[in-house]
Structure formats: C-alpha cells, structure tokens
Amino acid sequence: MTKKRVVIVGGVAGGATCATRLRRLDENAEIVVLDRGPYVSFANCGLPYYVGNVIREESKLLLATPTLFQERFNIEVRTRNEVTGIDREGCTVAVRDLETGREYREQYDALVLSPGAAPICPAWPGVGLPGIFTLRTIPDSRQIRDWIESKSPRKAVIVGGGFIGLEMAENLAHRGIAVTIIELANQLMPPLDREMAEYAREHLVAHGVRLRMGDGVAGFERSGDTGLVVHTQAGAALNADLVVLAIGVRPETNLGLDAGLEIGDRGGIRVDRQMRTSDPRIWAVGDAVEVRNLLTGEWELVPLAGPANRQGRVAADAICGRDAHFNGVQATAVCGFLGLTVALTGATEKALRRAGIEDYQCVYLHPNQHVSYYPGAHAIHMKLLFRKPDGLVLGAQAVGESGVERRIDVIAAAIQMKATVFDLEEAELCYAPQYGAAKDPVNLAGMIAANVLRGDVTLAPWQELDATDAYLLDVREPFEFRRDSIDGTVNIPLGQLRARMSELPRDREIWVSCGIGQRAYYACRMLTQHAFRARNLSGGYQTYRVMYPVE
Ligand code: FAD
C-alpha cells in the first residue's frame, strides 16, 4: 500500500487538530507539520492571562511539544520552518529553515493550510517604536511581560475595544496599570448589537478604564526614555508607557494567493464544506478561511478557536475519504473582563440587516442569573432574535456578572438543532436556588418571544420613542418614577391601573414601560382585554436607559 504524505502548514489550533485526527484515522500516513514559529499547539487564547500573570508559567501555555507529537502520534513537527511557496503542478511546497537558512522542497499528496491570521498593524507614524506591541504568539506575550517587568509602566493605551483588547484591559489592570482604550467605532465589541455593547462600556468606566470612543490613532511619538505619546485623530495626545494594538486580525492568505487559490470577497481562502480549496489536493482551515454563517448564509471571517478545531477535524476526515462536513459557523463567543461576561451566538440584529433579512423580531429581558432571594443575584441582560412567524431561534446576546455563558451555550445548542422559541419555552434545565430559577432565563426568553408570536403582547421599539405620538405610560411605583423616568411619561403604578383606566386615551396607542418589561406586560394584558391599544416598551426602562444614559 502506498503511503499518503500529508503536509500541514501551521501547527496550532487547526493544524495540530488536523494532524492528530489524521493519525487516528490512518496509521500509515506520513504526516509533516511545518510551523515558522518556535512552538506548536500552544494556547493562544491564554496569552492575555500570561501577560496579566494570572497564568504564571510560560510552560503552561504549551499543550504539546514536537517530541510528544513524534512519540505519541508519529507526526514529524518542524518548528522554525516557514513555507514560502506552493508548486501546485509538482505538488511540493518550498520551505525555509529559519535557523539555518536552508531552503528545500517538501512533496505532498495532500496539503493543509492552517496559517491563521495576523494582527492588523497599520503603518501609523511611529508604530515601530519600542513599547508598542501586538499579541499573537508566546514570544509576543513574553516581550510584553518583559516590558512590564523592566519598565514598570503606569499607563497603557489599548487600541481597539474588541475581545482581545478587553481581555488585555483586564490583564493590564490586574498588573496595576491604568488603561485607556481607543476605539474608532461608536461601540465596544463590534460583533454585538450596540445596545448590548453599552453594558460593557458602562462596566469598564465603572472600573476605572478610560475610553475614547469614536476616535482613532493618528500616530505615535517617543517621550523621554521609554515613554510614548499616542496622537489621536481627534487631536488628543495621550501619554502611555505601553501600547497594545488590538484592532483585529487579517487572514494569512499570501501562500494561497501566490498559488492562485480562490480567495473570497472577505479576504479569506474559499473552501467547500469539506474544507477543500479550489485545488482538490489542498485543504485550508482556521482563521485563514472564509466560512458560511449558518444563520444568514453570508461568507464571513470568524477567527475563533472552536471552528478552527472542528474544521481541522473535518479536513482530516475528508483527506481520509470520510464524508464529513463543516456546516458553517454560529460565531458563538464569550469574553470576560473585570468581572463582566459578554457572550453571543448566532446572528445579531446588525448581521441580519446586513444580510437583508427582515422577517425577524427581538426581545430583551433582564432576569437574575439565579433566584433573587439567594445571595449574590445579578442581572443578565439578554437579547433574543427569532424568525417571524415560526419562531426559529436566530441568535442571542447576553451580558452580566454570572451565569451568562451557560445561557448562551444552551441557546447555541438550540440554534444548531434548529429550535424555535417555543422549544426554549419548554426546555427543561437544571435548577436549584444557587444556580438558576424554576423559570430559567432561557425559558423566560422563549416565553417572552412566544407571547409576541402568539399575539398576547405587542412590543414597542425603544428606537422609535422619540418619534412616536403614542401615550407613554409608566407603571412603576412612584418612588422609582421620581428617581428617573422617560421624558413625557405619565406614572400610574400597576396596582392602581384597573381603578384609573378612565384616565387613559382610547384614541391613541399606549406604550407601557416599567423597569424591565414584566409589570408593563401585565399592564398590557390588562389594557388590551379592556380594548385599549397597548404595547410594551421593548426591554423596559433598563434597555432605554442604557442607550440614553442620564447626563
Ligand atoms: P493559529 O492558531 O494562529 O496557528 C497558525 C500557525 O501557523 C502559527 O503558529 C503560525 O506561526 C503558522 N504559520 C503561518 N504561516 C506559516 C507559514 N507560511 N509557514 C509555516 N507556518 C506558518 N479564540 C477563541 O475562540 N476564544 C478565545 O478566548 C480566543 N482568545 C484569543 C486570544 C489571543 C491573544 C489570540 C491571538 C487569539 C485568540 N483566539 C481565541 C483566536 C484563536 O486562537 C484562533 O481562532 C485559532 O488559534 C486559529 O487557529 P489557526 O490554526 O487558524 O491559526
């Protein structure tokens, strides 16, 4: 039997998974992994925590070594060996040994590209100055640690308020460094819908992180021996002893481009459902490829470890002739910083709009992560998106201090199984006072959405509050109303509503609000049964106020 020779470029998430799966499927294959870095199979996701000294030993980041690959899997791993070109006709790759400078060719029957994505680093003036870092590899994290330990920085500027930027904010704060984040967009965490990202903004500000939203970097300048000045587009000059650039990643497609492989509109390598590129002998996985969004059907770049691992496995299966498929991504992700967890799965509202999908509805809810009588209850702010009229679950976002990721994981699994909001309503989830509630937040999300679809309640969007000529009714208690209220609202507490219905107009719609939407729902049910046209302000005062904070 001829041995199949599989060459894999990149030996971390996608590449390492592919290599070991190949071995489990084919004991005879020759498997060679080439990586230009000094390590393979390292925990890139752990790097921010190594910088923050939460993970104290560098060795903990190494999940496997070349020796382990050799001994356990009979896989040949060559680190510090960079693949510089692909000869598709001859089925070889050109390799440069970065230690010796030797150049050689490696023959393949199947080639797997898992080269990942590189941090975006624009050519800003002064971007190469000492003290300005990006974070992708163990050596990158070591350099930042060394800088912290040798220069004792007091102030850091993080450019970019996405997942890595916020994890770095937490870890630099953990080191006692005052952090300013510069974010060009008008919200943090770009994948989220803006009103959900606002909770992250509030939390960071409350924890002393300074934010410059809607501003970008213009350039950097040295100040004194090791200090830096960050000049912003809006004309600010920020002093910093350390700068981290975290403005996103770009797929590493040079090899694919030079070899003439098809590249998609989003800039990633195009693959089919078996992760095969436009060349039938070449597969590509991980951050370098474009993937179909399961909900919108759009091609996307989703640089996450879970999809990279699953794709590596599918590619290995396909190379071995198995009928495995990668069906697409839901972009399920989670991020924690300074005690807050933000998680999402499936489509966001902005993704649906971008894809031209209009037959959807969303509901907001703000339940506690567990029953309120058990100590330590905190709100989870949730947004659930579903299709009209059948209630297919399309996506969810949640923010809170505890219990967030569990709810999003449940909904992620539900989306994968094509569940509807009626299924969420019925889901039987575990409960004891310290963990949840008999009506779990996932059930509540399903119930609220199902109420809307069944016509039990109609929602009023907070985005249209300014323009509506509806009668605005607030059914909270007077002490809550006096503390703060939406301009133009009239307060009739829920307990007095039946007796005071004569005060309400019959010729206008009534938009009812309360703290989080629950009392307003009761009020809406009461009013509609008395032939008023009532709508519940979506998300209640809570969602409105996060978008229109009190000055
Ligand atoms: P990588 O894991 O980046 O591996 C690519 C490898 O290919 C690299 O070692 C590189 O040196 C090598 N390579 C590239 N070109 C060549 C070449 N020409 N020749 C030889 N070798 C080459 N995802 C999550 O889901 N959750 C998280 O919490 C999370 N946190 C993260 C934190 C940080 C700081 C970073 C950087 C990423 C994080 N990610 C996270 C993203 C996740 O790590 C990636 O999605 C995943 O590693 C992608 O796997 P990959 O195999 O495509 O690429």
Side-chain angles (χ1 to χ4, degrees):
M1 193 187 358
T2 54
K3 289 184 175 180
K4 190 183 297 157
R5 188 169 177 79
V6 185
V7 172
I8 300 176
V9 183
V12 191
T17 304
C18 183
T20 51
R21 173 73 176 165
L22 274 168
R23 174 56 72 227
R24 290 194 293 277
L25 297 181
D26 185 350
E27 188 56 23
N28 293 312
E30 290 175 357
I31 307 169
V32 179
V33 176
L34 302 164
D35 200 299
R36 68 176 171 218
Y39 307 105
V40 283
S41 204
F42 65 90
N44 9 30
C45 308
L47 298 178
Y49 305 93
Y50 180 52
V51 171
N53 210 27
V54 176
I55 297 170
R56 287 167 181 266
E57 293 156 50
E58 194 176 292
S59 60
K60 299 273 188 217
L61 298 168
L62 296 173
L63 308 176
T65 60
T67 311
L68 184 137
F69 272 101
Q70 186 62 60
E71 288 175 359
R72 191 172 291 176
F73 301 108
N74 187 23
I75 291 171
E76 186 183 348
V77 172
R78 289 183 219 147
T79 54
R80 304 283 291 139
N81 275 255
E82 180 172 27
V83 175
T84 54
I86 305 169
D87 171 6
R88 288 169 52 190
E89 292 274 306
C91 290
T92 62
V93 290
V95 191
R96 183 182 301 129
D97 183 329
L98 298 175
E99 294 296 328
T100 64
R102 182 174 79 93
E103 309 221 344
Y104 62 98
R105 300 201 82 84
E106 193 66 59
Q107 182 271 326
Y108 64 79
D109 298 309
L111 175 66
V112 181
L113 303 177
S114 188
I120 295 172
C121 187
W124 287 312
V127 76
L129 285 170
I132 301 176
F133 302 95
T134 56
L135 182 62
R136 180 183 182 187
T137 62
I138 290 181
D140 294 341
S141 61
R142 195 186 298 143
Q143 278 182 21
I144 305 177
R145 270 179 77 106
D146 289 349
W147 185 269
I148 292 172
E149 271 142 36
S150 62
K151 313 282 193 245
S152 304
R154 287 183 301 117
K155 289 181 184 173
V157 167
I158 295 173
V159 185
F163 284 52
I164 293 179
L166 296 186
E167 287 182 353
M168 283 305 293
E170 159 164 291
N171 281 288
L172 293 181
H174 188 245
R175 290 280 200 144
I177 301 170
V179 174
T180 300
I181 297 175
I182 302 178
E183 170 56 59
L184 192 57
N186 64 355
Q187 70 164 79
L188 295 167
M189 313 199 83
L192 290 179
D193 287 326
R194 172 139 181 246
E195 71 279 18
M196 299 305 290
E198 282 301 294
Y199 295 108
R201 188 189 59 74
E202 276 186 350
H203 187 83
L204 285 169
V205 171
H207 284 76
V209 175
R210 295 195 176 169
L211 298 174
R212 285 194 70 83
M213 304 300 296
D215 196 3
V217 167
F220 303 96
E221 220 180 10
R222 188 191 284 272
S223 155
D225 278 352
T226 58
L228 293 157
V229 179
V230 184
H231 294 283
T232 76
Q233 291 169 5
L238 311 175
N239 290 316
D241 310 308
L242 164 65
V243 172
V244 178
L245 306 181
I247 54 174
V249 294
R250 184 173 293 129
E252 294 235 22
T253 48
N254 286 353
L255 284 175
L257 262 174
D258 292 349
L261 298 181
E262 187 187 349
I263 305 292
D265 297 338
R266 308 299 301 268
I269 300 171
R270 267 288 159 87
V271 288
D272 65 13
R273 288 178 64 219
Q274 292 207 308
M275 308 312 296
R276 204 186 301 250
T277 67
S278 50
D279 181 323
R281 286 172 185 257
I282 305 179
W283 282 257
V285 301
D287 290 359
V289 305
E290 285 186 7
V291 281
R292 283 270 189 208
N293 183 302
L294 268 180
L295 286 308
T296 64
E298 302 273 287
W299 287 106
E300 284 183 1
L301 296 168
V302 181
L304 289 171
N309 274 275
R310 285 181 1 252
Q311 292 159 10
R313 196 176 156 90
V314 167
D317 283 11
I319 289 167
C320 293
R322 291 200 175 192
D323 189 26
H325 294 114
F326 183 77
N327 292 325
V329 288
Q330 284 167 239
T332 307
V334 62
C335 179
F337 45 90
L338 302 168
L340 193 76
T341 304
V342 177
L344 72 163
T345 184
T348 56
E349 191 162 3
K350 63 179 148 190
L352 291 172
R353 287 208 184 134
R354 235 185 353 248
I357 296 169
E358 288 173 1
D359 58 344
Y360 71 88
Q361 170 107 43
C362 77
V363 293
Y364 299 92
L365 62 158
H366 312 276
N368 288 333
Q369 94 280 24
H370 60 53
V371 287
S372 53
Y373 64 79
Y374 187 83
H378 297 287
I380 302 179
H381 306 291
M382 292 177 73
K383 177 175 183 178
L384 180 76
L385 290 138
F386 51 97
R387 193 166 68 187
K388 285 188 301 190
D390 62 1
L392 184 79
V393 182
L394 299 175
Q397 298 156 64
V399 188
E401 292 181 26
S402 176
V404 169
E405 67 285 6
R406 180 181 132 204
R407 275 56 191 224
I408 289 298
D409 274 345
V410 170
I411 298 175
I415 289 175
Q416 205 166 19
M417 292 167 186
K418 307 211 177 312
T420 66
V421 298
F422 307 105
D423 296 314
L424 298 188
E425 204 180 11
E426 291 292 317
E428 187 175 315
L429 303 171
C430 59
Y431 160 61
Q434 56 183 317
Y435 299 111
K439 275 185 205 157
D440 190 85
V442 171
N443 298 131
L444 281 176
M447 286 172 191
I448 295 168
N451 285 342
V452 172
L453 289 177
R454 291 190 188 108
D456 290 342
V457 68
T458 310
L459 296 178
W462 52 265
Q463 297 91 329
E464 291 172 22
L465 255 181
D466 286 344
T468 184
D469 58 1
Y471 182 90
L472 304 181
L473 173 67
D474 186 326
V475 294
R476 291 176 300 164
E477 294 302 312
F479 79 90
E480 296 171 275
F481 184 76
R482 274 196 300 275
R483 219 164 35 206
D484 190 18
S485 62
I486 299 168
D487 283 351
T489 41
V490 174
N491 181 220
I492 303 179
L494 181 63
Q496 299 175 16
L497 194 57
R498 265 187 201 87
R500 293 175 59 185
M501 271 185 202
S502 59
E503 296 173 33
L504 299 176
R506 290 208 171 267
D507 57 344
R508 284 163 77 187
E509 239 182 23
I510 301 172
W511 286 15
V512 190
S513 63
C514 66
I516 57 171
Q518 191 176 16
R519 283 172 286 177
Y521 168 59
Y522 302 152
C524 283
R525 290 298 304 149
M526 186 192 304
L527 292 175
T528 45
Q529 290 181 69
H530 285 87
F532 287 96
R533 288 185 295 137
R535 294 168 79 178
N536 189 347
L537 182 69
S538 193
Y541 184 76
Q542 172 72 63
T543 298
Y544 170 80
R545 200 33 100 209
V546 78
M547 283 309 287
Y548 302 101
V550 183
E551 294 300 323

